[in-house]
Amino acid sequence: MREVFHQSLEELQSGLVEIAELVATAMEKATTAFGTSDVTLAEEVIDADSVIDERALALDELAIEILARQQPVARDLRIVVMSLRVSASLERMGDIAEHVAQLTRMRFPERAIPKGLKSTFTRMGELDVALARDLAELLRTEDLDLAERIRNADDDIDELHIAVFEKVLSDSWQGEASATVDATLASRYHERFADHAVSVAKKVVYLATGDWAADPPA
Amino acid sequence: MREVFHQSLEELQSGLVEIAELVATAMEKATTAFGTSDVTLAEEVIDADSVIDERALALDELAIEILARQQPVARDLRIVVMSLRVSASLERMGDIAEHVAQLTRMRFPERAIPKGLKSTFTRMGELDVALARDLAELLRTEDLDLAERIRNADDDIDELHIAVFEKVLSDSWQGEASATVDATLASRYHERFADHAVSVAKKVVYLATGDWAADPPA
């Protein structure tokens, strides 16, 4: 019985790692699609999002089943609660990758990536992907250095987010309204993606350290 | 012991209702501030957001304590799990009201509300406030008709969200880039606020009906 219980807990943790990896791949493809106006790749990301949604849902069901049947305590309980809170953020990160892909599809055959911001968005995408991969690794290993790296990447993304607005609101900006809308949305998506990762990382830190109180809700 | 337990559960539910009411008030003030460029009111909303954050955090701690000490089952367990998932969405809705207030403050003494979109944003704000009040009432009563009303209001907000983009991307749009950015962000905030409300409503429906499986992660 205890063995079945611990198998379930391991399943929960490995399930979160898998979803984080799917999310990283989704953002990687979405970034490439956005940068190269590759509508086929964008559609692949859009189609694949339902897999992330289903995985998150299945994991929540497993978490609830563990709570109901096993009535875990202490660290075991914290793992289950962490999973219930983290799965929603991971699922949301998948949605955001899908939104980046949808921007690409919406503008096709035009380029979604606004002129003069190509390198900025490429960099934001790369940072988001790296941060999602670090998140998967953090969920697997609870290596808290990774949480620090995620926070730093989030700071870099926030700076790029501000740079996008400075560009768009500068006198030199010649983009049409559609380019302004796309830049605003794409930048906001990347920034939110990183925020969710930081929020997940915090929950893993508090799982490892046992300090829930300092954990701001996502 | 059982009595203490049921008091805790009631505290959890009434806590969610209170947060939903705080969120509704925050969005009401943010909408007024946005519409009238009232920077004092905007700052009131920004300052008050920490109260919502603290309430959500305290509620999560209570939920975890109930899980650890009482090991609830059946409907009691569903209430606790619902609370853990819903608090994050409510807290996020509070953040979004704060973002609307921040837009107001950022543009002050200019108007944040872009020309030609005043009535649209006033309507979006009103719908969001009504929907947050319905959400508080739904959490209090589990009256499922309210969930239906929330879904309908969300549809109306989605239509207005599309109308904003149509306006901004039309040939008649004369707004500067800053107006385009503001319209894009404000519209997106209102739309996300409603999405979160629908997500919470779904969780309450599944609390009432017992069907978790159909509940997509927020």
Side-chain angles (χ1 to χ4, degrees), chain A residues 80-206:
Chain A
V80 180
V81 171
M82 190 265 298
S83 173
L84 276 172
R85 301 161 122 204
V86 158
S87 69
S89 294
L90 292 175
E91 193 269 339
R92 188 72 205 128
M93 290 169 77
D95 284 350
I96 293 173
E98 187 189 5
H99 290 339
V100 173
Q102 281 166 334
L103 267 187
T104 310
R105 187 171 66 176
M106 198 166 65
R107 294 292 168 234
F108 186 80
E110 305 282 311
R111 273 187 174 257
I113 207 158
K115 249 187 219 166
L117 286 169
K118 189 168 164 52
S119 67
T120 306
F121 280 118
T122 301
R123 184 71 194 128
M124 283 181 114
E126 282 169 358
L127 283 166
D128 269 347
V129 172
L131 166 155
R133 295 219 186 284
D134 278 349
L135 195 58
E137 199 57 23
L138 172 65
L139 284 161
R140 189 196 328 267
T141 61
E142 291 179 31
D143 171 357
L144 301 188
D145 288 344
L146 289 165
E148 181 65 28
R149 222 159 76 179
I150 289 167
R151 269 194 299 275
N152 291 338
D154 178 53
D155 289 343
D156 292 345
I157 289 168
D158 285 347
E159 277 177 27
L160 291 170
H161 184 51
I162 292 168
V164 168
F165 285 113
E166 281 171 355
K167 174 95 182 179
V168 164
L169 299 177
S170 72
D171 292 338
S172 69
W173 177 248
Q174 311 241 319
E176 295 188 5
S178 64
T180 308
V181 168
D182 290 352
T184 303
L185 288 177
S187 189
R188 172 98 186 132
Y189 294 150
H190 283 106
E191 185 244 351
R192 286 296 303 151
F193 186 93
D195 283 350
H196 280 290
V198 170
S199 152
V200 172
K202 277 184 188 162
K203 290 181 175 71
V204 179
V205 170
Y206 299 124

Side-chain angles (χ1 to χ4, degrees), chain B residues 78-89:
Chain B
R78 293 211 309 272
I79 292 173
V80 180
V81 171
M82 190 264 297
S83 174
L84 276 171
R85 302 160 121 202
V86 158
S87 68
S89 293

Side-chain angles (χ1 to χ4, degrees), chain A residues 57 60-61 68 71 73 77 85 88 91-92 99 165 168-169 177-178 180-181 184-185 188-189 192 213 215 217-218, chain B residues 57 60-61 68 71 73 77 85 88 91-92 165 168-169 177-178 180-181 184-185 188-189 192 213 215 217-218:
Chain A
L57 183 57
D60 283 353
E61 285 169 4
Q71 312 196 324
V73 293
L77 174 60
R85 301 161 122 204
E91 193 269 339
R92 188 72 205 128
H99 290 339
F165 285 113
V168 164
L169 299 177
S178 64
T180 308
V181 168
T184 303
L185 288 177
R188 172 98 186 132
Y189 294 150
R192 286 296 303 151
D215 177 21
Chain B
L57 184 57
D60 283 352
E61 284 169 4
Q71 311 195 323
V73 293
L77 173 60
R85 302 160 121 202
E91 192 269 339
R92 189 70 207 130
F165 285 113
V168 165
L169 300 177
S178 64
T180 307
V181 168
T184 303
L185 288 177
R188 172 101 187 130
Y189 294 151
R192 285 296 304 151
D215 179 22

